[in-house]
Amino acid sequence: MQSVRVRHYTSADYPRVCELDAPLFAGMGGPILFRHIEELFPSLFFVAENESDEIIGYILGGVHLDNERIGKLIRIGVVPNYQRKECGTMLSDALFRELRNHGVKQVHLTVAETNMPAITFYLKLGFVQKERIASYFYPDVPRLALWKDL
Ligand SMILES: CC(C)(COP(=O)(O)OP(=O)(O)OC[C@H]1O[C@@H](n2cnc3c(N)ncnc32)[C@H](O)[C@@H]1OP(=O)(O)O)[C@@H](O)C(=O)NCCC(=O)NCCS
């Protein structure tokens, strides 16, 4: 989308990203996660801004220390009134480009099997389902594992 641009996250974005994340990922530890990712993988954390410089989406990734060819899409969120406008695709493209620069050849993620919008989004990006993990989150929360070659 023409008026949306993607840039690297900075620490100053922390409150806004936490605010956007709260309704999208209720109870999924956003404020703790974002501080860790900002310290561990700053180059793999991006935000999308609208024409008024307001953050309207974010994506964060990581790389496996024991296999640097494998990266992870850890979380992506776009505010509801900017969804279906290619913002998620732009954020993903930025993350994949950066992962490639780090030598990553394959991206992994997990998604709730009930989250059909996200699953459809990931399949359109080229992810394929590898497995269903029955108790991925405590105590018995299943997730689908999806992979994509870069
Ligand atoms: C998943 C999410 C990041 C997608 O972001 P987005 O900016 O809306 O995605 P895009 O506009 O780039 O969509 C690209 C394609 O994905 C698919 N898609 C995206 N949202 C969809 C939806 N709600 N229903 C069906 N397909 C969808 C479509 O094929 C779409 O292409 P099209 O609009 O030309 O048909 C966004 O819906 C979101 O933030 N959801 C809430 C948080 C979440 O569930 N994150 C993932 C957790 S694992």
Side-chain angles (χ1 to χ4, degrees):
M1 194 176 45
Q2 206 67 356
S3 53
V4 169
R5 63 193 173 279
V6 172
R7 63 162 174 81
H8 277 107
Y9 165 97
T10 75
S11 297
D13 302 324
Y14 178 75
R16 174 64 177 154
V17 172
C18 289
E19 187 180 58
L20 298 189
D21 184 77
L24 295 176
F25 291 90
M28 294 188 78
I32 296 166
L33 175 68
F34 301 137
R35 279 301 189 207
H36 287 313
I37 298 302
E38 125 181 7
E39 291 167 16
L40 291 169
F41 302 112
S43 64
L44 302 178
F45 198 162
F46 295 88
V47 295
E49 287 180 327
N50 66 10
E51 56 286 343
S52 305
D53 296 337
E54 295 163 339
I55 297 174
I56 44 101
Y58 55 93
I59 192 168
L60 36 147
V63 178
H64 284 245
L65 262 186
D66 55 355
N67 184 351
E68 292 171 1
R69 295 165 66 86
I70 308 293
K72 185 141 194 185
L73 193 170
I74 295 173
R75 184 169 293 187
I76 179 170
V78 174
V79 294
N81 56 335
Y82 275 87
Q83 290 177 7
R84 294 306 283 271
K85 294 178 176 174
E86 297 180 13
C87 191
T89 301
M90 289 173 64
L91 285 161
S92 303
D93 287 346
L95 176 64
F96 298 159
R97 202 162 37 242
E98 192 69 33
L99 286 171
R100 275 190 211 100
N101 290 341
H102 283 79
V104 168
K105 305 293 183 203
Q106 195 173 65
V107 191
H108 296 181
L109 63 80
T110 69
V111 60
E113 60 189 345
T114 51
N115 191 349
M116 283 317 296
I119 292 168
T120 308
F121 169 72
Y122 292 135
L123 294 179
K124 185 160 186 199
L125 288 180
F127 281 87
V128 293
Q129 185 181 330
K130 295 312 280 189
E131 59 178 325
R132 179 184 186 273
I133 306 170
S135 299
Y136 186 83
F137 287 138
Y138 179 85
D140 281 314
V141 182
R143 300 279 283 184
L144 303 180
L146 274 56
W147 294 8
K148 170 188 165 64
D149 290 332
L150 288 183

